[in-house]
Amino acid sequence: MFPHKITIFNITKENGVVKYNRKIVNDVFYYTQKAISEEGKGDKYSYLYHVIFSNDALKDYLENSQYSKLEDKNKNYTLKEKDIIVLNECEEITDLLDLQNSDKNYFFIRKINDNRYGSDDLQNIEVTN
């Protein structure tokens, strides 16, 4: 039911240096939708990305306030606007240009829907661009 894997890059700033904290997350489900909008005299195509984090995928998840206090951020992740999600597994990056110059599908988180209520099996968080 949750067959996919993603890589999340939590962007932090430590001592004035931007750092991309990488975490590979299994047990997610993602899909894309092609969106068409009119622009000028033609159509503009863009993609909408959706990633659903299963209850199993959320085992290493922390709220942003908890995550920011961690000394070692390698074992956990958080979800906040403007962080980056790469579909599938991705190597470490030091700059956004690393992703822009790759063939990876990625997006910046713009919306987070927290659905952690009800039965444990149904709890999830969905993020979209």
Side-chain angles (χ1 to χ4, degrees):
M1 188 168 168
F2 293 94
H4 301 129
K5 175 188 308 191
I6 57 105
T7 305
I8 185 162
F9 289 101
N10 293 124
I11 303 170
T12 59
K13 197 169 191 178
E14 298 173 15
N15 300 323
V17 177
V18 175
K19 191 171 181 184
Y20 296 86
N21 300 302
R22 174 180 169 253
K23 176 71 176 167
I24 296 170
V25 182
N26 295 303
D27 301 313
V28 301
F29 177 78
Y30 61 75
Y31 64 97
T32 59
Q33 291 178 306
K34 192 175 201 179
I36 304 170
S37 60
E38 289 185 29
E39 187 172 286
K41 295 183 179 181
D43 292 335
K44 179 183 176 185
Y45 295 92
S46 60
Y47 290 92
L48 301 174
Y49 294 96
H50 301 263
V51 177
I52 301 170
F53 291 77
S54 70
N55 197 24
D56 288 335
L58 293 171
K59 289 180 181 169
D60 294 330
Y61 170 77
L62 293 175
E63 295 291 337
N64 191 35
S65 59
Q66 296 170 303
Y67 181 81
S68 61
K69 294 176 186 174
L70 291 176
E71 290 287 326
D72 180 12
K73 294 178 170 56
N74 292 323
K75 295 180 180 165
N76 298 94
Y77 68 95
T78 191
L79 297 169
K80 64 184 189 307
E81 288 185 13
K82 298 183 183 173
D83 278 348
I84 303 168
I85 290 185
V86 180
L87 304 184
N88 295 313
E89 192 168 338
C90 181
E91 62 281 344
E92 296 276 349
I93 63 170
T94 56
D95 192 285
L96 184 56
L97 284 174
D98 295 342
L99 283 177
Q100 292 171 338
N101 293 330
S102 74
D103 62 347
K104 304 285 186 189
N105 289 323
Y106 69 93
F107 67 95
F108 292 93
I109 297 173
R110 292 185 63 201
K111 188 174 179 185
I112 303 165
N113 293 319
D114 192 340
N115 303 311
R116 291 179 293 165
Y117 51 83
S119 172
D120 283 347
D121 292 343
L122 299 177
Q123 292 185 17
N124 67 78
I125 293 178
E126 180 180 8
V127 297
T128 56
N129 63 328

